[in-house]
Amino acid sequence: MDLVIRGARVVDGTGGPSYIADVAVHEGRIAGVSRGRMRTGGGRQTLDAHGLVLAPGFIDMHAHSDLALLHDPDHSAKAAQGVTLEVLGQDGLSYAPVDDRTLTDVRAAIAGWNGHPPQATAIVVDLDSDSDFDFDWRTVGEYLDRLDGGIAVNAAYLVPQGTVRAYAVGWEDRPATPAELDRMRTLVAEGLAQGAVGMSSGLTYTPGMYASGTELTELCRVVASYGGYYCPHHRSYGHGALDAYAEMVGLTREAGCALHLAHATMNFGENEGRAGELLALLDRALAAGADITLDSYPYTPGCTTLVALLPSWAGEGGPEAVLARLRDDAEAERIRHTLEVEGADGCHGVPVDWSTIEISGVTDPALDSYVGTRVPDWDTARRLLLRDRLGPTVLQHVGHEENVRAIMRHRVHTGGSDGILQGAKPHPRAYGTFPHYLGRYVRELGVLSLEECVAHLSGRPASRLRLPDRGLVREGYRADLVLFDPDTVAAGSTYENPRVLPTGIPHVLIDGRFVIRDARRTDTLAGRSVRRTPHHGR
């Protein structure tokens, strides 16, 4: 054996009772699980795990590490949490499939999520530059090939519907023509055939939000034909949130497509205490045979870009058109009125309360003094959007603890950080989601048992991703494993100091190789792309 882990308390990812066992690892897989002491000989390495829990590596079902995995080989933000697989391409906007024009626009639109890699700081992509970071892919398959060059943790990918619409239709708020819809179907099918696990949408982000339910249903039919799943950030988490959830349930039922609800929350004042209504809606659909899962993070504030709060009409035409409207006093006043009086669709139909909006990051270092401050008014927000060219990221303090707890208990719940790694003060969920579940909600509050929680973070997401050999501590499975101390595991990240690594997670393995050993990041890049398991019907 390459490694024998001795005397661990195994929490195997099924939700079943834990047990003490020795676990053997060989050639990247679990070669044996022996309750009590393994009678066979030792391994080339032996790890004494007495007092530690051995669990499957955690799967982050909602990550924004699309560029960070490529330009930050350390990536301790996730590796140190015990994350061994992230799902990228979220919220309908990412970097494949693209042509040159679409890549330029998408990079500008989501700079607040992913920043600009070192030596690739221009908003407009210079395809002939000598940048140290090369956007050398255009298709989903080429992006996944780039990940296969070696990354900190494994990664799966969702075809981003907003990017697909930008590619085929542009950034206009209008129905797609039949030819454009055919082009979008083809782009989604190509992405799935090249290994994507499903399709995402960001239906409060332009241009994805311009798609009708009929258009989304047609794309979901393609996703279903490949055995993938649809992962929408739906049209509202505020006013009309239940109707927005119901729309997603209805259109995926019509398309025959599996549904995974992204960062499933019930936010803003009108939804306080209403998580039970959402869960009842889902229970009725599940009882009728729907295939539904969801993810959430164990915190109350949300995190997004400042520009995302604007009304959808302000985003028509793409990032440069947004900036032009912001420069125009009459257009800027119209935006303000929609935001503050009517309730913009980008702000979930709720009139914005500026006191809930905190700047968490900017792309221009000259604006760093704004980070950590609340936005006092529209004039400040407008000025920041113009000076930082739509780059500011914000925390939005609009969540409710009772909703967070109720949703995480549900039987189809999985964990997702929604971790945005950019900015001087990112949301602490980026560095703390998984140990926060284990330390706060398992050990301190008892909202979930340890066995239940690990299943939510490993076995259940692996099942959603249709991964036949990940997510469980079981012989023959990939040796993607985390060892943690159940008495001390905790998030180190806070709102004041969000980049602090967790405690109580001394070892993390991917394919049987230590990426974290004795609580320190090794130089191992064991991660690769994890591609969709081919559907039996194709």
Side-chain angles (χ1 to χ4, degrees):
M1 298 295 107
D2 295 327
L3 171 68
V4 175
I5 301 169
R6 297 283 192 191
R9 176 186 172 190
V10 174
V11 179
D12 65 8
T14 65
S18 62
Y19 54 88
I20 303 299
D22 288 356
V23 176
V25 173
H26 188 62
E27 294 183 349
R29 293 188 178 270
I30 298 170
V33 180
S34 179
R35 299 192 185 216
R37 188 169 179 83
M38 190 168 289
R39 293 194 176 94
T40 59
R44 283 191 282 272
Q45 298 183 72
T46 300
L47 179 66
D48 182 355
H50 289 83
L52 298 178
V53 168
L54 173 65
F58 303 137
I59 297 175
D60 188 342
M61 287 295 288
H62 194 104
H64 288 284
S65 306
D66 306 47
L67 297 183
L69 275 170
L70 294 174
H71 71 72
D72 175 19
D74 180 78
H75 202 50
S76 288
K78 294 301 180 67
Q81 294 186 59
V83 171
T84 58
L85 170 61
E86 298 183 278
V87 184
L88 313 177
Q90 299 287 350
D91 295 330
L93 288 166
S94 189
Y95 304 95
V98 293
D99 56 10
D100 295 349
R101 171 189 56 82
T102 306
L103 176 60
T104 298
D105 289 341
V106 167
R107 282 191 59 195
I110 56 175
W113 294 355
N114 295 296
H116 298 294
Q119 303 301 315
T121 56
I123 288 289
V124 177
V125 180
D126 180 357
L127 299 171
D128 298 319
S129 74
D130 295 325
S131 167
D132 288 351
F133 187 91
D134 188 3
F135 288 83
D136 58 355
W137 67 85
R138 293 296 178 269
T139 69
V140 170
E142 290 168 350
Y143 175 72
L144 296 177
D145 288 345
R146 177 74 175 267
L147 296 177
D148 284 338
I151 48 180
V153 304
N154 295 311
Y157 189 75
L158 295 163
V159 179
Q161 170 259 331
T163 299
V164 166
R165 198 174 209 273
Y167 194 151
V169 180
W171 295 72
E172 290 75 38
D173 183 2
R174 62 172 177 79
T177 67
E180 289 166 342
L181 182 55
D182 283 343
R183 180 62 175 141
M184 286 190 281
R185 288 193 192 98
T186 297
L187 289 167
V188 172
E190 289 174 349
L192 289 158
Q194 292 162 10
V197 295
M199 180 180 76
S200 75
S201 283
L203 300 178
T204 64
Y205 300 128
T206 58
M209 67 195 306
Y210 299 144
S212 66
T214 299
E215 180 180 313
L216 295 171
T217 300
E218 288 303 307
L219 297 182
C220 282
R221 293 187 199 280
V222 177
V223 176
S225 73
Y226 280 85
Y229 68 91
Y230 180 44
C231 180
H233 163 133
H234 53 277
R235 297 192 194 275
S236 176
Y237 292 82
H239 180 68
L242 288 173
D243 290 339
Y245 279 113
E247 180 195 11
M248 298 299 100
V249 172
L251 72 84
T252 51
R253 179 175 57 238
E254 182 177 349
C257 185
L259 173 64
H260 180 86
L261 295 165
H263 39 59
T265 59
M266 292 286 287
N267 290 338
F268 301 91
E270 64 191 81
N271 290 317
E272 185 173 1
R274 299 184 68 191
E277 297 176 56
L278 165 62
L279 300 179
L281 168 67
L282 300 183
D283 284 338
R284 289 192 296 271
L286 289 163
D291 181 359
I292 300 174
T293 50
L294 57 86
D295 65 65
S296 74
Y297 46 83
Y299 299 88
T300 52
C303 181
T304 188
T305 55
L306 183 58
V307 67
L309 305 182
L310 272 54
S312 57
W313 55 260
E316 187 173 5
E320 291 302 323
V322 178
L323 291 166
R325 291 187 180 98
L326 289 169
R327 293 186 194 102
D328 184 288
D329 288 342
E331 286 288 275
E333 172 56 23
R334 184 182 169 209
I335 293 171
R336 184 206 64 77
H337 184 270
T338 304
L339 273 169
E340 296 183 352
V341 179
E342 298 174 6
D345 45 7
C347 196
H348 308 279
V350 178
V352 68
D353 176 357
W354 291 115
S355 70
T356 67
I357 308 299
E358 177 185 353
I359 301 298
S360 60
V362 292
T363 61
D364 182 352
L367 302 173
D368 282 347
S369 62
Y370 287 94
V371 174
T373 67
R374 301 291 175 115
V375 177
D377 50 36
W378 165 243
D379 289 340
T380 303
R382 178 190 179 191
R383 185 166 61 252
L384 274 171
L385 287 167
L386 285 168
R387 290 182 62 187
D388 204 32
R389 293 184 59 83
L390 313 183
T393 307
V394 299
L395 301 186
Q396 198 167 10
H397 296 270
V398 293
H400 307 287
E401 178 67 17
E402 69 273 27
N403 287 348
V404 170
R405 296 188 194 188
I407 289 167
M408 73 169 65
R409 291 189 187 103
H410 198 271
R411 67 188 186 280
V412 301
H413 170 267
T414 67
S417 71
D418 196 11
I420 294 174
L421 300 168
Q422 300 304 310
K425 293 184 70 174
H427 196 303
R429 68 194 186 192
Y431 283 73
T433 286
F434 296 87
H436 199 50
Y437 268 120
L438 297 167
R440 177 67 173 160
Y441 289 93
V442 172
R443 184 179 64 247
E444 296 178 8
L445 298 176
V447 175
L448 296 168
S449 72
L450 179 60
E451 289 83 357
E452 287 175 318
C453 187
V454 168
H456 288 220
L457 306 182
S458 59
R460 188 174 298 155
S463 178
R464 162 51 70 218
L465 295 168
R466 297 189 175 181
L467 302 178
D469 59 354
R470 299 177 194 266
L472 302 177
V473 178
R474 182 171 291 175
E475 187 172 339
Y477 275 53
R478 295 273 187 179
D480 295 351
L481 303 168
V482 56
L483 291 110
F484 61 90
D485 184 339
D487 296 327
T488 64
V489 61
S493 58
T494 65
Y495 293 101
E496 289 303 313
N497 296 291
R499 294 186 183 275
V500 179
L501 297 179
T503 58
I505 305 179
H507 308 294
V508 182
L509 298 92
I510 295 178
D511 267 3
R513 301 162 64 191
F514 285 97
V515 296
I516 300 290
R517 184 152 198 178
D518 297 323
R520 295 180 180 274
R521 179 73 172 92
T522 71
D523 60 2
T524 298
L525 296 177
R528 299 293 184 272
S529 71
V530 174
R531 308 195 187 209
R532 182 187 55 83
T533 302
H535 185 42
H536 294 305
R538 297 190 67 85

